[in-house]
Every structure is written in structure tokens, then in C-alpha cells.
Amino acid sequence: MSGAANHNDARSLPAGANAAAPLLEIRALRVSFSLEDGRRLTAVDGINLSVSPGEAIGIAGESGSGKSTAASAIMGLLPPNGRIDSGSIRYRGLDLVAEGAPLRRTRWREIAVVFQGSLVALNPVIKVRDQVAEAIELRLGEPANAAREKAKRLLADVGIPDKRLEAYPHQLSGGQRQRAMLAVALSCSPAVLIGDEPTTALDVIVQAQILELLDRMRHEYGLGLILITHDLAVIADMCDRVAIMYGGRIVESGSVREVFTNPRHPYTQALLGAAPDARAGRRTIKVLEGQPPDLASLPPGCHFAPRCPLADARCTEEDPPTVSYEDRVTLACHRYEPNGGALPAPVAAPYPVLELGKR
Amino acid sequence: MKLRGWLLGRVGGALATILMVLLLNFVLFRLMPGSPDRTLARNPRVSAEAIAAARVRWGLDKPLFPDQLVAYVGATLSGDFGYSVKYGGREVTSVIGEKIAPTLLIVGLGEIIALAAGIALGAWTGWRRGKFGDRVGTLSALILYSMPYFWLGMLLVTLFATTLGWLPTSGISTPGGPGGVAGIVDLLRHAALPIATIALGLIGQYAILLRSSVAEALREGYVLTARAKGLRDDRILRGHILPNALLPTVTLAALNAGYVIGGALTVEIVFSWPGLGLLTQEALQSRDYPVLQGIFLLLSISVVVANLLADLLYSRLDPRVRHGAAR
Ligand SMILES: Nc1ncnc2c1ncn2[C@@H]1O[C@H](COP(=O)(O)OP(=O)(O)O)[C@@H](O)[C@H]1O
Ligand code: SF4
Ligand SMILES: [Mg+2]
């Protein structure tokens, strides 16, 4: 498709934004929920994250590690019991957390999101074409006819056949629905796209097709992509950089190549080692024992300490600071000294190893 | 065209139901205690010959089955509902016919007002669920919902007619009242309280149902998508939530339309409103079988038709049902 890329060049920024500032920059973001019993649960605990145009960032981590909460916070769509305690989210320099932030104006036009379940994310009683056209009409102010035309082109572009244009969501297959959702997300040509487990509910082949489409769209639209998934293989295929989350914190981040070939944080090692690896004909997995932390009652220190084979006394007393090494990797682990900023050698955490049998 | 098959099936089912009702109607009324000729016999001034003549005229001298049944079904199907016992032998169709309009007036307007107000109240409280406005609104809806019609009606009469004297207490028009435009105003003044009673009684039902569907819809993923799209609240409510949440309420309204006649009974009695409800009461008291049968048949048909209507409406409004039926 032509035109999509230039649309992005010509996009007008919201008032108060600065074209020279980073596309999306999250600093020391803390998000908590109030629970029924009166306690507070800190779901996102001081994360830093930034995305540039055309760049894909993967966020990985077990379920409950705060990935979706981070995405909701960026969209300004936290549930009523959630709140941003501190930190900043800046879009082209525009603070989205500040009082009176123009969230309703930045949503979808600047930052759009594709959720996991496309059947529930699409309105069951509205034709998909109209769901794509809606934001074009209401957010970009285009006339209804032009919006419907554009919706038609977008749907064709994501691979929805013409004869399905007037279909309702339930008439489409799971893969088609996710394609349609992608068209909805791209309808206002956003600069940032967040995919929160966008392919989790789909079967492997459809998943691969959707990811390929997402990748194509990223390049065509010059999208800054935040891809949330617990599937590390997806991140390895799709992303430039990766952030590993545990217990609401980013424990390790860096280029996909660096983090995946030299995982340093003990949790990253467990995560990468938990996928069967056919190397040298042996299939083994690292066994991560214990449960993810209860975020509503966290002891002091490293959140991973109860499950970490490398934990020592300091780990249960002090939070490990997040240290940036050579601008390539960040780590939050007491095992790695600041080292004057020089990238340290990985320390292998001695996890129990399970043989899955020889080939 | 599977949809047409489905439609034919529904209509066929409705017709079969009406036939069953016809049979039931016949049996039921023959099982009831008392009969018009015996009522007549209680009057000492009516001679035995006159009673016998009446029995012949009403067909009561023939055996129940098959003669009376065949006569009944045949006559009913050809639009002949017989003659009223009470109203000096007038045709049942004309006795009932002239009462339909007054009933339709109060129940129809009452339904429309209740639906509009119930939708507004339900959408408002559902959107604000848990907040103060919702608590007040929902409590009011519950109170209205649980109030019987006659109680509500008497409250309104006491307040607006007896105490304040703003509106007439009963009837459909002022005896010897004006005609023309002034007559219409007079009619509406008489209809106001019955309409208000019916509307208030129904508002709660609609509001409570819609409130729960709206509150439920608010948790749906498509609402999150609509928010993420940066749509305004009223657009989210009207463009995304209501098209989903209204489905059960609209269906209920269509179903309620079937109870137009029955539902007005108590209201009409309270306000002496000369509609089908009052007619039913009178017919019951005088064991006016033909009129009762006519009313019951009409009532059953309207319930069956309303059910059919609700089905069709739901399938029109919900694409999932529409295509499910057509698939
Ligand atoms: N609305 C909420 N109220 C209370 N706790 C919540 C709410 N949403 C999420 N959480 C909690 O926040 C933590 C992070 O959840 P989430 O962001 O959904 O994780 P992920 O997407 O990584 O699986 C979990 O412990 C979860 O139970
Ligand atoms: S800080 Fe300590 S407990 Fe946490 S990951 Fe590093 S070694 Fe393990
Ligand atoms: Mg999640």
C-alpha cells in the first residue's frame, strides 16, 4: 500500500508536543491498584521504557508481572481502582500523566492498542467496516463516506476479502477478527502501536500470519511497536529490543540479540531456559521453582529473591538498583556490580535441569 | 433462503398456539361453575319458557361435544364471536371492539412513556453504577417496580385528584362535557392518571433490566476499545453500549405489548376506565361467556403475536441471532 508511510510524515502533532522529543518515553512509572480488602497492590514498580519510530520493543514476563497494567497506563485506561502513583509517560515530550493531560486527543491518533481477545475487543453488533470507519470519522473528522472508503482500503490491506466488508465480528474467523482489529487500530495512523498478547488466542499458523502482518505494518507505517507477549520466540522474531518484567519491575532489558544470547539476570536465564532447546540433540529445561510474588504484600528486596538460586542476604534487604551498561543492557540484580558501566559477563544461575529425553 | 423457513416456522407455531388456545378457551369456560341460563333462572320474574328459549338461542341445549365445540370453533374462525349475554344480545365483536381504543390509548401511551423514561433512567444508573445517583435511581426504580398497579393508582388519585383537585378521579370524559378540541383535552385529562399509573409501574421494570445490561456491558472489551479510540462518553454509551444493552429491554417491551389488555385490568378498575379491563370484570361478574371468551381469545392472540414480534425484533437487532437463524 502506498500513502500510509507519507501519512505519518505529514501527521500533525497534538498541541504541546515536540517533534524533536523521543516518540514515547516512560520514566520511573509506578502503578498501583486498591484492593477490596483495603491493601494496595503495586503492579508496575518503577519501569523505564522508550520507543522510537519504526522500532519494536518486546515486553516479556510471566502472567501477572504487570505487562497489561503498563499498557493500560500508557493508554490512560486503568480501571477505576488503578492509579499512577509516580513517574512520567511522555509522547513527543507531551506528559500524558499530568493533570489535565490531553489523553482523549492522543488516544488512537497517536497511540493505539490491539488487545488479546479480538472477539471481545470488537463490538458484536456493529459491522467491522463501521468499527474501522468510526475513529476515522470521529477522531480525524473525515466525512462519513471518506471514512468508509478508507476503512475499506484498510481492511483490504490487512487481508480481509472485499466480500467480508459488511460482516459482523462473529462472521469472521479468529484470525480475520484480529486482522480487522489491526485495521481498527491503524485507522487513525497512530505513531505507536501496543499489541497486548495480540496472537495468544490464535493457532500457530494464524499467529504467524498476524505477526507477519504486524511486522509489515510496522515498516509501512513507521510504527513504534510495543509487543507484549509471554512467547519469547515471538519477540526474537519481531523485536529490536526486549524488556523482561518480573513482579512489576523490568529486571533486564537490551537488544534482543544481546539479551537472548547472553542472558544475565537469573530470571531471564530461567525464562529462556524454560523453553525446550534442541541444541546438540539434547532437550532440557531449567526448572523455576516457587510461585510468582504476591504483589499486594511484597517483602523488601529483590522480588525474585524467593525463587533465585543466586539470592543472598543482601537480596532480601535491598532493592537491586537498575544499572545501565554501555547503553546496551539494563540490569536490576545485586549479582552484577555497576562495573563502571562496562557490560559484565553473565553469571549462570544454577537452576535444576530437567531432561526431556534424547533425540 | 433459510431465514424464510425459520420465519414460516415461527408463524406456523404461533398459529398452532392460537388454535390450542381456542380449544382451551372452549373447555375452560365449560368447566367454570355457573352458567348464564342458571343465572337467568335465579331471576324469579323470568319464566321457564323464556329460559328454555334462551338456552336454544345460545345453543346451550345441544351437547358439548361435538356440537357446541364445532359450532364455537367454526363461528370463531369465521369472525363470529356470538352475542353478549349481558349487553342485550349485542354482537361480542362490537362490544369488545368499542373498548379496544380506550385501553390501547392508556396502555399504549403508558408503555411508550415507560419505555422512554425507563431507558433513560436505566442507561443513566447503569453508567454510574455504584455511585450516589445510581443508588437513588435504582432504589426509586425498585420501589416503583414493586408497587402494585391499584396501589399506585390510588396514590395518584388521592394526591392529584382528591387532594389537589387537578385531575378527574375516574371515567373517560365529563358527562355532558364539551366536544371538539375541548373534548380531546377533557379526554386527556381523564386519561392522564391511568397513563401515569401504567407508565410508573413499568418504568422500574425497564430501568432495572437496562441498568444491569449497561453495567454488564461496561465490563466488555469493546467498551475498552471504544475508550481507547478516544471516543466521548456519550458516544460510547449510545454508539457502543446501548446497541448491545438494549436488546433484552426491547424484547421485554415487545413481550409486554402482549399484555396490553390483561395488564390494564386493575388500572381500569381503579379509574373506572371503560376499556377491556373493566369489560372483563363486568363480564366475569355476569358470567357473560361469549364476551369473556372473546376477550380471552384476543388476549391470547396478542400475547402470541407479541412473542412472535419479540422474536423477530430480537433477530433483527442482534446480528448474531440473525445469522445464526440464517446459517
Ligand atoms: N483491576 C485490578 N485490580 C486489582 N489488581 C489488578 C487489577 N488488574 C491487574 N491487577 C493485578 O496487577 C498485577 C499485574 O497484572 P497484569 O498487568 O494484568 O499482568 P500481565 O499482563 O503481565 O499478566 C497482577 O497481580 C494482577 O492481579
Ligand atoms: S538481586 Fe539477588 S535475588 Fe534478585 S535476581 Fe539478583 S541475585 Fe537473584
Ligand atoms: Mg496481560
Side-chain angles (χ1 to χ4, degrees):
Chain A
M1 194 186 94
S2 65
N6 0 2
H7 190 111
N8 249 354
D9 299 338
R11 71 191 346 274
S12 58
L13 285 173
N18 170 5
L23 181 61
L24 186 70
E25 193 166 47
I26 295 156
R27 286 282 157 255
L29 182 69
R30 271 178 68 99
V31 183
S32 65
F33 294 106
S34 64
L35 301 181
E36 307 255 313
D37 58 14
R39 293 184 300 168
R40 282 207 87 79
L41 179 154
T42 301
V44 172
D45 192 3
I47 64 167
N48 298 309
L49 202 71
S50 70
V51 195
S52 312
E55 186 185 38
I57 311 287
I59 302 182
E62 285 170 302
S63 154
S65 56
K67 308 182 296 291
S68 296
T69 304
S72 311
I74 296 171
M75 294 304 296
L77 287 176
L78 288 170
N81 65 330
R83 123 191 134 198
I84 294 178
D85 294 318
S86 56
S88 67
I89 302 169
R90 285 178 193 280
Y91 174 81
R92 291 286 186 203
L94 187 69
D95 192 346
L96 301 183
V97 174
E99 192 77 33
L103 269 180
R104 221 184 52 72
R105 277 191 284 127
T106 50
R107 277 183 203 151
W108 229 247
R109 294 187 56 148
E110 319 295 340
I111 310 173
V113 59
V114 174
F115 298 109
Q116 174 176 340
S118 55
L119 184 58
V120 295
L122 293 169
N123 195 322
V125 302
I126 302 177
K127 292 174 180 173
V128 285
R129 178 188 196 164
D130 295 335
Q131 300 195 49
V132 179
E134 183 181 35
I136 303 173
E137 194 182 334
L138 294 178
R139 299 302 318 287
L140 300 182
E142 294 193 18
N145 275 343
R148 282 174 59 78
E149 266 317 297
K150 192 168 164 191
K152 182 179 168 183
R153 267 183 279 126
L154 267 166
L155 282 167
D157 203 30
V158 296
I160 303 279
D162 254 13
K163 62 178 195 293
R164 305 264 71 183
L165 264 179
E166 302 300 318
Y168 289 89
H170 72 274
Q171 294 172 298
L172 302 177
S173 68
Q176 283 178 324
R177 278 198 296 266
Q178 201 55 293
R179 284 170 191 273
M181 190 58 219
L182 196 57
V184 175
L186 296 174
S187 59
C188 294
S189 307
V192 178
L193 181 68
I194 303 174
D196 189 355
E197 317 237 8
T199 58
T200 301
L202 305 172
D203 68 59
V204 196
I205 293 169
V206 180
Q207 186 172 348
Q209 292 168 347
I210 298 291
L211 289 172
E212 198 183 301
L213 176 65
L214 203 57
D215 201 44
R216 180 161 69 81
M217 292 297 155
R218 160 160 78 111
H219 291 108
E220 270 177 23
Y221 284 72
L223 286 171
L225 181 66
I226 298 178
L227 188 61
I228 295 172
T229 172
H230 53 247
D231 189 342
L232 291 166
V234 168
I235 292 186
D237 277 351
M238 297 270 300
C239 297
D240 308 306
R241 288 192 294 130
V242 61
I244 309 288
M245 281 190 79
Y246 188 85
R249 293 177 180 166
I250 292 180
V251 294
E252 180 167 8
S253 74
S255 73
V256 165
R257 172 188 283 269
E258 184 59 43
V259 172
F260 278 51
T261 47
N262 298 310
R264 289 177 172 82
H265 194 281
Y267 178 62
T268 314
Q269 292 176 10
L271 214 51
L272 285 167
D277 179 7
R279 232 181 322 160
R282 271 185 35 227
R283 301 201 307 150
T284 63
I285 54 170
K286 293 203 168 103
V287 180
L288 179 57
E289 283 160 339
Q291 295 298 311
D294 173 8
L295 297 174
S297 55
L298 278 172
C302 175
H303 294 171
F304 190 54
R307 306 168 81 179
C308 180
L310 293 176
D312 59 20
R314 185 155 64 129
C315 300
T316 54
E317 287 158 12
E318 292 167 39
D319 286 357
T322 300
V323 182
S324 175
Y325 298 93
E326 298 174 14
D327 281 338
R328 283 163 65 196
V329 167
T330 71
L331 270 174
C333 174
H334 287 305
R335 271 295 154 136
Y336 298 92
E337 299 303 330
N339 219 9
L343 198 57
V347 180
Y351 286 101
V353 169
L354 196 66
E355 286 288 330
L356 288 186
K358 300 185 169 33
R359 279 256 178 86
Chain B
M1 234 13 289
K2 293 250 176 65
L3 186 61
R4 186 172 297 165
W6 175 81
L7 202 69
L8 283 177
R10 283 302 158 102
V11 173
L15 287 177
T17 312
I18 289 173
L19 255 176
M20 285 306 294
V21 166
L22 213 57
L23 289 182
L24 193 70
N25 217 354
F26 177 80
V27 174
L28 198 68
F29 280 92
R30 267 54 187 188
L31 288 179
M32 278 178 150
S35 83
D37 54 331
R38 259 176 266 144
T39 310
L40 210 56
R42 277 209 298 272
N43 187 337
R45 279 181 301 184
V46 178
S47 66
E49 293 79 54
I51 293 173
R55 283 180 58 87
V56 172
R57 181 150 43 88
W58 294 332
L60 293 175
D61 56 329
K62 306 238 176 64
L64 272 183
F65 185 83
D67 299 53
Q68 284 193 35
L69 176 65
V70 170
Y72 169 69
V73 173
T76 307
L77 289 183
S78 65
D80 175 8
F81 289 69
Y83 299 89
S84 164
V85 174
K86 179 168 182 251
Y87 290 92
R90 278 179 55 204
E91 276 187 48
V92 167
T93 37
S94 100
V95 171
I96 291 179
E98 70 187 24
K99 304 290 183 187
I100 289 181
T103 294
L104 273 184
L105 175 74
I106 58 168
V107 183
L109 280 180
E111 265 268 6
I112 291 169
I113 294 171
L115 193 57
I119 287 174
L121 183 61
W124 192 79
T125 52
W127 180 264
R128 283 166 188 72
R129 77 213 175 289
K131 303 226 173 83
F132 181 72
D134 167 37
R135 300 236 173 98
V136 175
T138 303
L139 188 68
S140 323
L142 265 173
I143 290 172
L144 286 175
Y145 185 30
S146 52
M147 260 194 204
Y149 276 129
F150 73 89
W151 173 239
L152 206 58
M154 298 210 308
L155 266 181
L156 292 181
V157 167
T158 313
L159 184 61
F160 292 103
T162 319
T163 311
L164 294 170
W166 291 351
L167 293 164
T169 51
S170 66
I172 192 168
S173 61
T174 313
V181 177
I184 293 177
V185 172
D186 184 54
L187 171 70
L188 288 178
R189 277 169 48 79
H190 280 84
L193 287 181
I195 291 174
T197 307
I198 291 171
L200 285 174
L202 285 170
I203 283 173
Q205 206 183 354
Y206 293 136
I208 289 166
L209 182 61
L210 184 62
R211 177 194 177 270
S212 79
S213 337
V214 167
E216 203 173 298
L218 272 169
R219 287 194 293 270
E220 299 280 348
Y222 62 79
V223 175
L224 200 63
T225 304
R227 288 224 163 91
K229 277 177 167 178
L231 304 179
R232 291 178 194 285
D233 281 358
D234 66 326
R235 168 75 195 181
I236 296 175
L237 181 63
R238 274 187 292 174
H240 286 271
I241 293 178
L242 286 183
N244 285 280
L246 272 178
L247 292 172
T249 309
V250 169
T251 309
L252 177 69
L255 284 177
N256 275 347
Y259 296 100
V260 156
I261 302 153
L265 191 100
T266 43
V267 179
E268 290 188 1
I269 292 170
V270 169
F271 292 97
S272 306
W273 183 262
L276 289 167
L278 211 57
L279 179 67
T280 308
Q281 193 206 22
E282 289 168 0
L284 269 172
Q285 278 166 355
S286 53
R287 298 199 204 288
D288 195 344
Y289 278 2
V291 167
L292 276 180
Q293 279 180 329
I295 291 175
F296 275 51
L297 193 62
L298 189 65
L299 194 134
S300 314
I301 289 175
S302 52
V303 169
V304 171
V305 169
N307 265 288
L308 188 64
L309 201 79
D311 263 1
L312 295 180
L313 203 62
Y314 199 97
S315 69
R316 281 299 323 153
L317 292 178
D318 190 335
R320 286 161 296 187
V321 178
R322 187 153 79 229
H323 299 119
R327 203 174 287 141

